Amino acid sequence: MKTARQCIIVLLTLLEFSHASIDRRSLVSRYNPVRNASSSVTPMQVGNGNFAFGADATGLQTFLPYAIMSSWGWKNDSLPTNRTMEDILQYQGVSWWNHDRLVTYTFDGDAETQQWLIANPNRVNLGRTGLVFFSEEGDIANVTESDLSNINQELNLWTGNITSRFVWEGQEVAIETHSHQSTGAIGIVISSPLLEQGRLGLFLDFPWNDGTSKFEAPFVGEFNLTSNHTTTLLTNDTPGSRIAAQIAHTMNNCTFWTSLGGGRFNISRDSPETHRYTVRPAAQASSEFAITLAYSLDKPVSTPAVADIVRSSTQAWEDYWTYGGFVDVLTGSSDARADELQRRIILSRYLMRVNEAGDTPPQESGLVNNGWYGKFHMEMFFWHSAHWALWNDWDLLDRSSSVYSRFLPTSIERAQTQERWDTGARWGKMSDPSGRSAPGEINELLIWQQPHPLVFAEYEYRAFPTRATLEKWRDVVKATADWMADFAWYNETMGVYDLGPPMYVVSEDTSPNVTTNPAFELSYWKFGLALAEQWMVSLGEEVPANWTTVKSNLAPLPIENGTYAVYEGIPSDFWYTPTYTNDHPALTGLYGWLPETPGLNITMAKLTAEKAWAYWNISNCWGWDFPMLAMSAARNGETEQAIEWLLHPLFQFDDVGMPIGGARVPTPYFPGSGGLLYAVAMMAAGWDGSNRDAPGFPTEGWQVEVEGVSRAL
Ligand SMILES: *[C@@H]1O[C@H](CO)[C@@H](O)[C@H](O)[C@H]1NC(C)=O
Ligand SMILES: *[C@@H]1O[C@H](CO)[C@@H](O)[C@H](O)[C@H]1NC(C)=O
Ligand SMILES: *[C@@H]1O[C@H](CO)[C@@H](O)[C@H](O)[C@H]1NC(C)=O
Ligand SMILES: *[C@@H]1O[C@H](CO)[C@@H](O)[C@H](O)[C@H]1NC(C)=O
Ligand SMILES: *[C@@H]1O[C@H](CO)[C@@H](O)[C@H](O)[C@H]1NC(C)=O
Ligand SMILES: *[C@@H]1O[C@H](CO)[C@@H](O)[C@H](O)[C@H]1NC(C)=O
Ligand SMILES: *[C@@H]1O[C@H](CO)[C@@H](O)[C@H](O)[C@H]1NC(C)=O
Ligand SMILES: *[C@@H]1O[C@H](CO)[C@@H](O)[C@H](O)[C@H]1NC(C)=O
Ligand SMILES: *[C@@H]1O[C@H](CO)[C@@H](O)[C@H](O)[C@H]1NC(C)=O
Ligand SMILES: *[C@@H]1O[C@H](CO)[C@@H](O)[C@H](O)[C@H]1NC(C)=O
Ligand SMILES: *[C@@H]1O[C@H](CO)[C@@H](O)[C@H](O)[C@H]1NC(C)=O
Ligand SMILES: *[C@@H]1O[C@H](CO)[C@@H](O)[C@H](O)[C@H]1NC(C)=O
């Protein structure tokens, strides 16, 4: 199936190449990040979506402990004092009424147990590796970055490798860093005359990190809490073995493996009190030293050779740049902002594939550092990953979109036992790879994650309109829509179906007990139920009557004083009340992020968006709000405004393309990058019903070439 799909993509791309001519390689390479010093905030990275390696100016973690993280490296902390696993499993929160149903939620139960459930499992920093410098006498030299000169580092985007050069004590050093593309292996090649003199080596170290802090940025874990964890060195003298040494790193119940292969070397532990090991290349009068460091959950029997890692990286990255979607806004544009927009596009494409193409949805900070203990948020999955669908990177999206079928059983269970809704699946929020959603009032009462799988399914069917696609998503679509229909509550007085209370809206800042019929969620419900109905029709199955009844009779969108309102009953002067205009401006998503939904008055939606542009507290927005604002401007025909939102001064990407967290959250905050790519795709390739090329761009000053990018809904 996947192979067939890849063939289709290759074929489509080849067909496009017969008439299109974006010089992809030179456009990509134009934005290769270059540094002459380490950043204290963001690493340069290599990786593959499931695994990423953050580097300082030496291409390793010599001076700064940037993280090595993965989609599979998770562990549990020890249990809270005086609590057993049984207590954890039996955790119960409070019961709140949802109209006539008493619903049991997982919050406000035993505080210790609840916090453990929120913070566990947490995502592990797999280790650190860096250069060791030796004096002429052979002692370890105390070197800082300021002792180096002529630092010059380049990330080659086209092949996914970092080249780092500098001079130490008058001698040149060059380091190549490559990441394998299907395992957690790094290939390191060091070239320097210092090697011949026995004056360069590597160290490996292992931090303790746990759920004490919700955010761990820019670095993850502590290297001085050495008694909390253990490491053990195993060496292997078997001639010809691909693995020369292994370090088992055990934190509580979990062991992570680091396997070293490649060049000949000696390895020893610095002292029993630390987890630091020193690798010295065997004396062999060579000015080059190549080594593989492979990180894994299971103890491997082999590691890829450095040459295999280089091949794997070069091939996978060239394929990605060559066969995925591509947008050129630079060539032929006279608008001075085109260069910066193109830079953001290219660097976001790189960083999304390094950080956000794993087997589970990404955390907000990808594989750079930890936020929310390393967990991922199901409502943010759209902003992280829907762009893959528009840019036609189906092999990458398939990895994580499969969570919907994997999490289906636990989401059905959530609806039934926890929430006592009898039908359907309620998707969780702040999640770990098992599908368990963390306790918490907002986590439990948020609902806008619910329709997302319908959108992912719809895009997949548009790309692959086959029976197999329909069947693949059938159970997910059905259970998703069943719960949506069941959650809506029939208000007999009004003769409509209400959403909430209690519930939280997208902006998470209204009182859940009074929040009823929010405009965005009502529209998303209508839109989602319509997609689900069509799915059944395409399958040739009967559309459940409740879906249609609910969809057609949902409460009308709330209106206050001539614009749409956040929710029904909000004070009519809410636009001028800071507490209501201070987080995600989801009202602008009514027409922009969402297409025209039944009953939406486009004129009023535009008035609403303009009101948000003027009155929302933009300085407190989150990264993805800017692409959402751009999409509303674009769909409303305000193309100049759309460009301004994408390049807004409060929406920044640093020199290597990391999206700045801004006022709300540490850097990076990748929903900003995912949102940017989704918005750019929509503005460049259009949306259903748009009727000119690049409909989101101004006609003056911009020339936009698009290859292999699909329209947005
Ligand atoms: C390093 O690069 C920055 C710009 O990125 C530049 O301002 C600075 O002068 C450079 N420093 C050296 C020593 O080359
Ligand atoms: C660790 O493993 C033991 C034995 O399998 C188990 O009883 C215990 O609950 C685990 N603890 C945690 C925190 O996962
Ligand atoms: C531990 O739990 C037991 C039984 O719940 C209780 O009697 C005891 O006071 C607790 N001890 C501490 C230190 O919390
Ligand atoms: C919401 O209602 C529940 C009872 O259903 C109550 O326990 C809770 O305190 C209320 N929350 C707020 C913020 O008013
Ligand atoms: C290494 O050098 C730094 C900066 O000069 C100094 O602060 C530190 O104490 C030195 N460490 C050792 C172990 O000598
Ligand atoms: C790695 O990138 C550099 C440029 O940054 C390039 O010159 C070099 O050839 C690349 N190495 C490989 C093995 O692709
Ligand atoms: C460990 O290092 C951190 C800084 O990374 C410091 O804040 C902390 O006090 C140290 N802890 C111990 C036990 O030395
Ligand atoms: C980790 O080590 C520190 C310092 O030794 C100690 O205070 C802390 O309780 C330990 N944490 C765990 C979870 O073992
Ligand atoms: C029915 O809807 C009206 C208008 O939105 C509202 O005032 C009323 O509280 C709802 N009825 C119930 C029982 O929630
Ligand atoms: C459909 O709605 C009816 C009436 O509200 C209800 O009894 C039934 O359980 C619902 N069925 C589903 C599948 O939600
Ligand atoms: C209604 O909107 C107008 C401007 O459109 C504004 O002047 C007026 O204050 C608003 N009324 C309320 C109650 O917010
Ligand atoms: C849509 O909203 C505009 C602006 O409030 C209003 O003038 C118009 O009558 C509305 N259209 C419909 C069909 O309600």
Side-chain angles (χ1 to χ4, degrees):
M1 169 80 182
K2 209 173 257 180
T3 327
R5 284 176 169 204
Q6 275 158 356
C7 291
I8 295 172
I9 292 167
V10 170
L11 191 67
L12 289 174
T13 313
L14 289 177
L15 284 174
E16 269 156 19
F17 274 172
S18 58
H19 57 85
S21 56
I22 300 177
D23 183 352
R24 294 182 175 212
R25 186 168 186 156
S26 68
L27 257 185
V28 169
S29 305
R30 175 186 174 97
Y31 298 103
N32 280 355
V34 175
R35 277 181 171 172
N36 60 17
S38 298
S39 154
S40 59
V41 183
T42 61
M44 260 192 199
Q45 282 182 301
V46 294
N48 62 36
N50 277 307
F51 171 84
F53 181 95
D56 67 13
T58 64
L60 304 171
Q61 295 117 3
T62 307
F63 301 117
L64 294 173
Y66 284 118
I68 306 174
M69 292 209 293
S70 66
S71 60
W72 42 262
W74 297 76
K75 69 153 223 314
N76 279 335
D77 296 342
S78 49
L79 296 175
T81 323
N82 214 19
R83 302 292 188 286
T84 64
M85 198 35 111
E86 199 55 22
D87 295 332
I88 299 283
L89 296 172
Q90 299 296 316
Y91 172 82
Q92 281 223 327
V94 293
S95 296
W96 282 16
W97 288 99
N98 181 300
H99 299 284
D100 52 353
R101 303 187 222 226
L102 191 59
V103 181
T104 308
Y105 294 110
T106 62
F107 55 79
D108 288 354
D110 173 59
E112 296 273 318
T113 308
Q114 172 167 318
Q115 183 53 33
W116 192 92
L117 283 163
I118 291 171
N120 285 278
N122 43 70
R123 203 182 293 245
V124 164
N125 177 2
L126 299 166
R128 173 183 184 186
T129 186
L131 293 170
V132 179
F133 300 86
F134 295 95
S135 67
E136 283 178 352
E137 293 73 38
D139 301 322
I140 290 183
N142 183 9
V143 175
T144 64
E145 191 169 315
S146 60
D147 296 320
L148 311 185
S149 58
N150 297 27
I151 297 177
N152 182 281
Q153 183 177 43
E154 179 168 358
L155 169 61
N156 188 335
L157 297 168
W158 190 262
T159 45
N161 68 306
I162 300 173
T163 306
S164 312
R165 297 174 189 280
F166 59 85
V167 171
W168 179 61
E169 296 204 339
Q171 309 203 60
E172 288 192 6
V173 180
I175 298 137
E176 283 281 340
T177 316
H178 306 261
S179 171
H180 197 264
Q181 293 299 304
S182 52
T183 69
I186 291 293
I188 300 166
V189 183
I190 306 172
S191 311
S192 175
L194 289 164
L195 285 165
E196 294 171 274
Q197 302 152 23
R199 297 190 58 195
L200 272 185
L202 288 178
F203 72 84
L204 277 77
D205 204 347
F206 299 87
W208 165 260
N209 81 285
D210 63 20
T212 312
S213 308
K214 184 172 175 182
F215 295 95
E216 295 179 280
F219 309 121
V220 180
E222 299 292 351
F223 290 82
N224 56 6
L225 301 180
T226 51
S227 61
N228 291 13
H229 55 136
T230 62
T231 53
T232 313
L233 174 66
L234 310 173
T235 53
N236 178 2
D237 298 330
T238 316
S241 168
R242 277 280 177 79
I243 298 179
Q246 283 177 300
I247 297 166
H249 179 208
T250 301
M251 291 190 279
N252 293 343
N253 279 6
C254 278
T255 296
F256 302 90
W257 289 90
T258 303
S259 304
L260 294 77
R264 293 173 49 228
F265 56 85
N266 299 313
I267 180 168
S268 59
R269 186 170 185 160
D270 286 14
S271 88
E273 286 75 45
T274 71
H275 299 297
R276 194 171 158 114
Y277 296 78
T278 300
V279 173
R280 294 194 77 152
Q284 54 178 197
S286 168
S287 62
E288 188 176 294
F289 177 65
I291 187 169
T292 295
L293 298 183
Y295 294 85
S296 60
L297 198 50
D298 297 317
K299 188 179 177 187
V301 293
S302 177
T303 58
V306 172
D308 296 334
I309 297 174
V310 173
R311 251 194 310 277
S312 160
S313 173
T314 307
Q315 190 62 53
W317 281 104
E318 281 189 354
D319 285 355
Y320 174 65
W321 293 116
T322 305
Y323 302 125
F326 209 95
V327 175
D328 175 2
V329 301
L330 181 69
T331 314
S333 290
S334 56
D335 194 298
R337 296 166 297 181
D339 192 26
E340 174 59 13
L341 184 56
Q342 188 71 50
R343 187 185 79 90
R344 293 177 181 206
I345 295 169
I346 298 291
L347 293 178
S348 297
R349 288 281 289 163
Y350 180 80
L351 290 175
M352 289 287 98
R353 190 173 176 284
V354 168
N355 289 286
E356 309 245 317
D359 296 334
T360 49
Q363 70 168 320
E364 317 312 31
S365 52
L367 301 173
V368 175
N369 56 47
N370 269 346
W372 288 270
Y373 314 98
K375 292 189 176 180
F376 49 87
H377 297 287
M378 294 301 284
E379 85 283 12
M380 294 310 299
F381 191 30
F382 176 91
W383 293 103
H384 282 287
S385 300
H387 63 93
W388 292 129
L390 299 186
W391 292 74
N392 282 295
D393 295 297
W394 290 97
D395 53 333
L396 303 179
L397 179 54
D398 279 351
R399 295 177 184 169
S400 56
S401 66
S402 60
V403 285
Y404 287 117
S405 39
R406 278 188 273 147
F407 291 180
L408 186 56
T410 52
S411 299
I412 290 172
E413 194 180 308
R414 180 177 299 114
Q416 287 181 354
T417 63
Q418 179 192 12
E419 311 248 350
R420 296 180 193 158
W421 273 281
D422 332 320
T423 57
R426 178 175 194 166
W427 301 109
K429 203 232 182 229
M430 175 179 162
S431 303
D432 67 45
S434 77
R436 186 171 65 71
S437 184
E441 193 176 302
I442 292 173
N443 291 347
E444 290 286 88
L445 294 173
L446 202 70
I447 65 168
W448 64 280
Q449 71 271 34
Q450 186 69 18
H452 289 350
L454 305 169
V455 174
F456 282 106
E458 173 67 16
Y459 276 130
E460 187 162 328
Y461 188 59
R462 288 178 171 210
F464 306 99
T466 64
R467 178 101 203 151
T469 307
L470 291 171
E471 278 165 8
K472 174 181 164 188
W473 283 92
R474 180 194 177 279
D475 293 352
V476 167
V477 166
K478 175 115 186 10
T480 298
D482 277 343
W483 190 82
M484 287 167 67
D486 208 3
F487 179 75
W489 181 81
Y490 188 63
N491 181 326
E492 278 175 14
T493 323
M494 305 304 290
V496 298
Y497 284 88
D498 286 340
L499 297 184
M503 62 163 292
Y504 272 97
V505 289
V506 175
S507 52
E508 301 182 359
D509 60 358
T510 67
S511 171
N513 289 346
V514 301
T515 303
T516 315
N517 291 329
F520 177 80
E521 283 78 357
L522 279 172
S523 293
Y524 204 17
W525 240 241
K526 285 185 201 179
F527 179 56
L529 286 170
L531 291 175
E533 283 178 344
Q534 186 53 46
W535 205 268
M536 287 301 160
V537 171
S538 302
L539 268 168
E541 290 185 33
E542 201 178 322
V543 175
N546 291 17
W547 299 2
T548 311
T549 310
V550 169
K551 187 197 71 172
S552 313
N553 296 287
L554 275 168
L557 302 193
I559 294 169
E560 289 295 340
N561 196 18
T563 68
Y564 288 119
V566 179
Y567 65 87
E568 188 180 300
I570 195 171
S572 61
D573 62 352
F574 73 95
W575 287 113
Y576 319 106
T577 309
T579 47
Y580 293 117
T581 51
N582 190 40
D583 206 282
H584 303 297
L587 281 175
T588 66
L590 286 174
Y591 188 59
W593 169 13
L594 295 185
E596 184 173 354
T597 44
L600 187 79
N601 178 333
I602 302 286
T603 311
M604 193 174 288
K606 186 172 184 187
L607 290 174
T608 305
E610 285 167 348
K611 204 85 171 175
W613 301 345
Y615 288 99
W616 214 268
N617 179 8
I618 300 300
S619 64
N620 209 28
C621 277
W622 301 74
W624 59 268
D625 295 335
F626 294 93
M628 177 169 67
L629 287 157
M631 284 151 70
S632 90
R635 227 186 267 257
N636 280 306
E638 302 291 340
T639 54
E640 173 57 30
Q641 181 71 57
I643 299 289
E644 282 181 17
W645 285 123
L646 285 187
L647 294 164
H648 195 277
L650 295 172
F651 184 46
Q652 291 292 331
F653 293 73
D654 79 1
D655 62 325
V656 296
M658 295 279 179
I660 305 297
R664 302 306 301 265
V665 72
T667 296
Y669 180 67
F670 282 121
S673 312
L676 175 94
L677 291 177
Y678 190 91
V680 165
M682 178 178 152
M683 289 162 61
W687 53 87
D688 290 355
S690 68
N691 52 16
R692 70 170 171 90
D693 286 345
F697 283 83
T699 46
E700 293 292 307
W702 292 85
Q703 168 123 17
V704 179
E705 286 298 325
V706 183
E707 290 174 3
V709 178
S710 300
R711 292 184 151 231
L713 284 159

